[in-house]
Each structure stands twice: as C-alpha cells, then as structure tokens.
Amino acid sequence: MADPAVRKAPPPPPIDGNHSKVIRFLEGFQWKDVIKEDYKADSDSWKGITRRELAGKRGESVKFHVRYFEIEPGGYSTLEKHEHEHVVIPMRGTGEAQAGCYIWKVSFGDVVYVSPSEPHQFRCPDDAKEPFGFLCVVNAERDRPQAVDGLGVCHICE
Amino acid sequence: MADPAVRKAPPPPPIDGNHSKVIRFLEGFQWKDVIKEDYKADSDSWKGITRRELAGKRGESVKFHVRYFEIEPGGYSTLEKHEHEHVVIPMRGTGEAQAGCYIWKVSFGDVVYVSPSEPHQFRCPDDAKEPFGFLCVVNAERDRPQAVDGLGVCHICE
C-alpha cells in the first residue's frame, strides 16, 4: 500500500481551460499541443507567415492574447491598419518592422509598439538565414484590420 | 542644397507617448532608457528580484502591461494571490514557477499561465548559473496582490 504521507504529483493540467498551466516550448520554435495556423485565412496580401496562439484563446480569462508569428525569408505580413495596438517582441532571427514612415531592423528582445491606426507591416528579408519569429500581444477585444495600399506620408516626414 | 527628392529619415520617437516606437534590447538583458526598478517597494516577502516596464506604462493605450522581471540565484517573488492572471514567458536562465500545488521547472519560451486567485511564486534556484528572467503580461486594470502564508492544499491533490 502506498505511503499516504508521500503526496503524489498532480497530473498535468489540460491545455484548455481557465486553470494554471504551462505550455512547453519545443525545439524549432514550436509549442507542445499548439498547432501552427495560417496567419490569415483570407486574402493574398501576405506571404510565408504562420501563427501560433499561446495565451488567451483556450479559456483563459485574460484581456489580451499572446501569439507567436513566424515569417520565412522573403515573407511579409499584410500592410494594414486598425484601432488596436501591437506589442511585438522578436524571439528568433532578424526582421523589419515598419510603422508609418519608420522602418526598424529588429531582433531578439526589442520591444516594438505600433500605435492605434498606424499603417504597419512586418517582413523577413529575402537573404535571411533563418525565419523571423516574434511574440505579438494584442487586446482580446479588438477591431478587424483594414488592408492599406501604401504607407503614405505621415506628420513626421511630410 | 539638399536634394528634396531624398527623404530624410525621421528622428527616433521618444520613449514616452502613444506613438509607434521601438525600445531597444541591450546586452545583459537591459533595454535602452528603461530603468531597473525594485520588484515591490514594500515588504520583505521577496528577495533578489527586479522589474523593468516594457510596454503599457509610458502612455501606450493597450489594455495590458508587459514587464520583464529578473530573479538572482536564491531569489524569489512574493508568494501571493490576486484576481488577475499572469502570462509568463521565460527569456533568460531557468527557474521554478509554482501555482497552487504545481511546481514547474521552466526555461526559454515556455508559456506559464497563472489563473485567477491561484497562489503562486517564481523562484531562481540557489545553484543557478545565471539569473532567471521572464516576460510577464497582465491586464492593465488589475487588483492588488495579497500575500499568502502557504500554498495550501488544492482540489487536485487534497
């Protein structure tokens, strides 16, 4: 008979639900039980970019969502704008972040803030040796993006 | 006279304000112009832990805050609980995350979710070779933590 004084380790909690849990990082920037999804289901306004939902979409009650996006060399996100903000933190490789008339080369640990209604795009250079991967945090309640034709001229450099 | 067709790069935006910006990651897990703060101003319920505010406290309109905490070997956060949730993503070293009766060893890229009112603590082992550093995302509007005496017995292992 098992010694009742020896407490058994609890079973690991399921990935879905509003309870404490750990989602394990795996080699090659994957996470256990987290599927790789298309960046967007519709439109041909983007290229070579995937999405992984890390927090906020599996029953967690947070008012924000944390996603991991990864862009292949030569790929890019939709050039778009929306009322909600982005906080982007690169985790893998090097890429370009454009917001309004700013273009920043960004890599591990940089913190990119895209303000409301600012046209923006994320890109991985053609000659990059590895994908450009980043965390992106957004408000859970948010408006839909609108594609834009060009970044235009902003108040800074017009 | 400067060629008007050559557009000047805009000046870097200031770190404060609700405009697009990049906060640069620097060697040694520091960020340009971001001060290192005490984890908490009050109490002796914690040891060897610092905080850096990365997004949400400098005029950004997001409904969440992103912080970087770093715990020295032998250090720990307050054992506490609160209604608001944590999403924690380790960036440096290895540490322990405890939530309720779960203790997880966590390192780069793992995603820790602490659910509402779950007693929890983050620790860096005494024999760690480097600090344990992690991103922590929380709702911008949140309740104050309450220190707890012990993790108690939860519904899983009681």
Side-chain angles (χ1 to χ4, degrees):
Chain A
M1 195 175 140
D3 181 351
V6 178
R7 182 181 285 180
K8 272 174 56 183
I15 195 170
D16 289 289
N18 197 18
H19 47 254
S20 299
K21 61 186 111 170
V22 171
I23 301 179
R24 288 295 182 188
F25 179 78
L26 306 173
E27 208 172 334
F29 281 81
Q30 302 185 75
W31 282 263
K32 189 169 186 319
D33 300 328
V34 176
I35 59 166
K36 181 170 75 174
E37 300 176 65
D38 276 347
Y39 162 68
K40 279 180 184 164
D42 57 345
S43 95
D44 56 356
S45 58
W46 54 275
K47 183 180 166 192
I49 170 167
T50 57
R51 162 205 300 258
R52 287 178 172 87
E53 296 285 346
L54 298 182
K57 298 277 271 190
R58 295 191 186 84
E60 303 91 355
S61 48
V62 284
K63 293 193 173 124
F64 54 85
H65 295 162
V66 182
R67 302 87 54 83
Y68 173 76
F69 292 97
E70 199 169 91
I71 312 181
E72 295 169 10
Y76 47 83
S77 65
T78 305
L79 175 59
E80 65 185 23
K81 65 177 186 173
H82 36 67
E83 275 297 310
H84 66 271
E85 313 83 353
H86 283 309
V87 173
V88 161
I89 302 179
M91 298 286 273
R92 179 182 197 180
T94 294
E96 280 180 0
Q98 182 156 6
C101 58
Y102 287 105
I103 299 175
W104 290 288
K105 186 177 169 184
V106 293
S107 55
F108 182 84
D110 289 331
V111 179
V112 183
Y113 175 67
V114 179
S115 64
S117 301
E118 185 92 284
H120 60 278
Q121 187 175 47
F122 297 92
R123 300 183 286 265
C124 184
D126 289 334
D127 61 352
K129 291 193 173 58
E130 64 174 326
F132 172 44
F134 52 88
L135 300 174
C136 177
V137 191
V138 288
N139 296 335
E141 286 193 21
R142 58 186 184 273
D143 60 325
R144 288 189 66 83
Q146 294 178 290
V148 292
D149 280 341
L151 287 169
V153 175
C154 79
H155 66 284
I156 298 168
C157 52
E158 67 188 347
Chain B
M1 195 177 138
D3 181 350
V6 178
R7 184 181 284 180
K8 271 174 60 182
I15 195 170
D16 289 288
N18 197 19
H19 47 254
S20 298
K21 62 186 111 171
V22 171
I23 301 179
R24 289 294 181 188
F25 179 78
L26 306 174
E27 208 172 335
F29 281 82
Q30 302 184 74
W31 282 264
K32 188 169 184 324
D33 299 329
V34 175
I35 58 166
K36 182 170 75 173
E37 300 177 64
D38 276 347
Y39 162 69
K40 279 180 183 161
D42 57 346
S43 94
D44 57 355
S45 58
W46 54 275
K47 183 180 167 192
I49 171 169
T50 57
R51 161 205 300 261
R52 288 176 170 88
E53 296 286 346
L54 298 183
K57 298 278 271 191
R58 294 190 186 83
E60 303 91 355
S61 48
V62 284
K63 293 191 173 130
F64 54 86
H65 295 162
V66 182
R67 303 87 53 84
Y68 174 77
F69 292 97
E70 198 169 271
I71 311 181
E72 294 171 10
Y76 47 83
S77 65
T78 305
L79 175 58
E80 65 185 22
K81 66 176 187 174
H82 37 67
E83 277 295 311
H84 66 271
E85 312 84 352
H86 283 308
V87 173
V88 161
I89 302 180
M91 299 285 274
R92 181 183 196 179
T94 294
E96 281 181 359
Q98 182 155 9
C101 57
Y102 288 105
I103 300 175
W104 290 287
K105 185 176 170 183
V106 293
S107 55
F108 181 83
D110 289 331
V111 180
V112 183
Y113 175 68
V114 179
S115 64
S117 301
E118 185 93 283
H120 61 277
Q121 187 176 48
F122 297 92
R123 302 183 285 265
C124 184
D126 288 334
D127 61 353
K129 291 191 174 58
E130 64 174 326
F132 172 44
F134 53 87
L135 300 174
C136 178
V137 191
V138 288
N139 296 335
E141 286 192 20
R142 58 186 185 273
D143 60 324
R144 287 188 66 82
Q146 295 178 288
V148 293
D149 280 341
L151 287 169
V153 175
C154 79
H155 66 283
I156 297 168
C157 53
E158 68 187 348

